[in-house]
Amino acid sequence: MNFEFFIANRIVKSKTAAKKISRPVIRISVGAIALGIIIMIVAMATGNGLRKEIRNKVIGFSGHIQILNYQPNPTYEQTPTDLPDSVLTHISGIPGVEYIQPFAQKAGIIKTDSLFEGALLKGVNADYHWQNLAGYITEGKAPTIGQTGYNDSILISRAIADKLSLKLNDKFSMYFVREAPKPPLLRNFYISGIYQTDFEEIDNNFLIGDIKHLQRLNKWDSTEVGGYEIFLKNDENITATNEQIRLLLPYDLDALSARQLNEQLFQWLDLFDLNIMIIIIIMIAVATINMSIALLILILERTQMVGILKALGSANGSIRRIFLINATYLILRGLFWGNLIGIGLCLLQQQFGFVKLDPTTYYVSEVSIDLNIPFLLALNGITVLICLICLILPSYLITRISPVKAIRFD
């Protein structure tokens, strides 16, 4: 066995290693590292989880990229577009593009016997990928839209249904305003499903139904739609893919990413990275300071041992490595308990969701967890590395110890 590891191992296992002064200091240092890693793991898992959940809701409802008509003054009324099959085929062939689906939307007023509420009807076709919203449907099922004929079933949000006292399978009327002096157009629907995303901008505004109703209301032909939603296989190359799509479009159409359509929301999500980084820096700094103090006390309490080792011919570097190995053991012990408790808390939250949030503020009803194993490994590795680098300076105290004085030190 290596000489430094042998001595460090004897110190760790020695029953007299933890003396009256060093025992509480070591415990505090190990506890500080454990507490720091708990806070870092929880901050990272909850921050990434919340950001991921909100992104999934936004992208799942409207896609990574949308193709829309240029509108200097955007309104709820859409200008029809009809991309040729050749352009759609080219877009589908871009690496990273998973699928494209058309949609349309139109503003209207929902009317019941005694109540009314403004809403947006989002129209989709038979090829719509309902799996993006499947996890948010709390009652009933998604509308079954066919290639032909009109389907009067609607997917309504829990927020709108509660405002209008509507339940599953209830019928209601929706009025669509036209330019004066034309009277509003009336359409009757029934509720086939109720969804809840906890995303206020979606839940308070959107119904989802058959796009053929909107084509008829707007007097569009069967190939005209309001826009196209493009879903990618991953989020890594949204900007580059968006630019490639834009080059394939005619002059009157534009491709907008989810971030461009929700700039303020994504800027708010970016703050999570900054907050997590600040927490990690503070916790590592606290752990490093505590370990530096613990190392100095360990050296002072082992002054006689240092003197004897020097008298026997041990070099300063060799003795320093003994104490750094001892400090590494304490750091790893703190990391073990910190990871055990931190990951355990995250798994409990992931399984039972006992910590709730206000969805009107955070867009989710409970704290979301995203435990990324590579991040956890990197976090532990960086903590150990930074602590050891910072402990090199206190370990130089060993070079100032005189063997003669140290052996007589009491």
Side-chain angles (χ1 to χ4, degrees):
M1 182 182 290
N2 181 278
F3 169 70
E4 290 87 358
F5 276 98
F6 175 77
I7 299 297
N9 187 54
R10 292 297 297 271
I11 293 174
V12 168
K13 293 183 178 180
S14 174
K15 293 182 180 180
T16 60
K19 298 183 180 179
K20 293 182 180 180
I21 298 176
S22 64
R23 184 184 294 113
V25 174
I26 289 173
R27 288 177 177 174
I28 291 171
S29 300
V30 172
I33 292 174
L35 181 61
I37 203 71
I38 291 169
I39 294 172
M40 288 189 282
I41 289 173
V42 171
M44 183 184 68
T46 55
N48 290 340
L50 183 60
R51 180 175 56 184
K52 184 177 180 180
E53 181 68 17
I54 295 173
R55 282 175 60 89
N56 287 343
K57 288 181 180 182
V58 174
I59 291 172
F61 191 83
S62 58
H64 292 88
I65 299 169
Q66 283 192 7
I67 296 175
L68 301 167
N69 276 282
Y70 278 109
Q71 289 184 293
N73 300 304
T75 65
Y76 291 132
E77 295 300 317
Q78 294 180 314
T79 304
T81 181
D82 181 12
L83 279 178
D85 290 340
S86 58
V87 175
L88 293 174
T89 302
H90 274 89
I91 293 174
S92 299
I94 295 175
V97 173
E98 189 170 8
Y99 58 88
I100 306 172
Q101 56 191 25
F103 77 100
Q105 65 183 39
K106 190 174 181 67
I109 299 173
I110 302 173
K111 179 71 170 65
T112 62
D113 292 339
S114 58
L115 299 168
F116 61 90
E117 181 74 19
L120 285 170
L121 175 58
K122 179 179 179 178
V124 299
N125 65 5
D127 298 325
Y128 188 76
H129 289 66
W130 290 104
Q131 63 265 31
N132 293 320
L133 295 177
Y136 305 119
I137 297 177
T138 57
E139 289 186 57
K141 61 180 181 178
T144 304
I145 299 172
Q147 297 288 352
T148 59
Y150 294 88
N151 189 301
D152 294 332
S153 60
I154 285 290
L155 185 66
I156 191 172
S157 73
R158 170 63 61 191
I160 297 176
D162 288 346
K163 288 177 183 178
L164 299 172
S165 300
L166 292 172
K167 301 184 294 296
L168 190 66
N169 298 321
D170 281 356
K171 295 182 179 180
F172 64 90
S173 299
M174 192 166 185
Y175 292 88
F176 298 91
V177 180
R178 295 189 292 176
E179 292 182 5
K182 296 179 181 180
L185 293 171
L186 171 65
R187 291 293 182 271
N188 294 312
F189 300 105
Y190 76 91
I191 300 171
S192 67
I194 299 175
Y195 74 90
Q196 181 176 349
T197 66
D198 291 324
F199 198 87
E200 193 171 312
E201 293 183 12
I202 295 175
D203 289 353
N204 287 342
N205 293 294
F206 284 95
L207 318 174
I208 307 177
D210 194 337
I211 195 173
K212 291 187 286 293
H213 284 294
L214 300 186
Q215 290 171 333
R216 184 179 178 184
L217 287 167
N218 291 326
K219 296 183 179 180
W220 298 348
D221 63 41
S222 60
T223 61
E224 290 180 316
V225 298
Y228 297 88
E229 296 173 344
I230 300 173
F231 287 80
L232 308 182
K233 296 175 182 177
N234 56 64
D235 298 349
E236 295 177 1
N237 300 310
I238 293 181
T239 303
T241 304
N242 194 51
E243 292 303 319
Q244 286 181 274
I245 293 171
R246 186 172 284 152
L247 294 174
L248 298 173
L249 298 177
Y251 71 93
D252 59 334
L253 297 180
D254 193 14
L256 300 172
S257 67
R259 186 181 186 93
Q260 290 172 306
L261 292 168
N262 304 274
E263 186 65 38
Q264 290 184 336
L265 174 64
F266 278 83
Q267 287 179 352
W268 178 66
L269 292 178
D270 289 342
L271 292 176
F272 283 93
D273 289 333
L274 178 61
N275 293 340
I276 292 171
M277 186 58 63
I278 291 172
I279 290 172
I280 289 174
I281 292 172
I282 292 173
M283 290 299 101
I284 290 178
V286 171
T288 301
I289 292 170
N290 276 276
M291 280 309 306
S292 298
I293 295 171
L295 180 62
L296 289 172
I297 291 175
L298 285 171
I299 292 171
L300 290 174
E301 284 199 336
R302 291 281 174 175
T303 300
Q304 286 184 335
M305 186 194 78
V306 172
I308 292 171
L309 289 174
K310 283 191 173 185
L312 292 174
S314 294
N316 286 325
S318 179
I319 301 172
R320 284 171 53 211
R321 282 193 292 273
I322 292 172
F323 285 96
L324 288 175
I325 292 169
N326 199 5
T328 303
Y329 165 77
L330 298 177
I331 294 170
L332 294 177
R333 193 166 72 178
L335 290 179
F336 170 78
W337 288 109
N339 279 277
L340 185 66
I341 297 172
I343 295 174
L345 289 173
C346 290
L347 292 177
L348 287 173
Q349 173 63 25
Q350 194 173 49
Q351 184 68 29
F352 301 106
F354 52 83
V355 180
K356 304 297 182 181
L357 294 175
D358 180 4
T360 59
T361 303
Y362 296 99
Y363 306 108
V364 292
S365 57
E366 62 183 44
V367 174
S368 301
I369 300 295
D370 180 28
L371 282 172
N372 189 303
I373 300 302
F375 278 5
L376 286 175
L377 294 175
L379 185 64
N380 282 271
I382 291 171
T383 302
V384 173
L385 184 63
I386 293 177
C387 284
L388 288 178
I389 291 174
C390 294
L391 289 178
I392 291 174
L393 185 61
S395 70
Y396 272 101
L397 175 64
I398 292 168
T399 63
R400 307 295 299 273
I401 296 175
S402 168
V404 177
K405 294 180 180 179
I407 292 172
R408 295 190 306 177
F409 179 80
D410 187 4

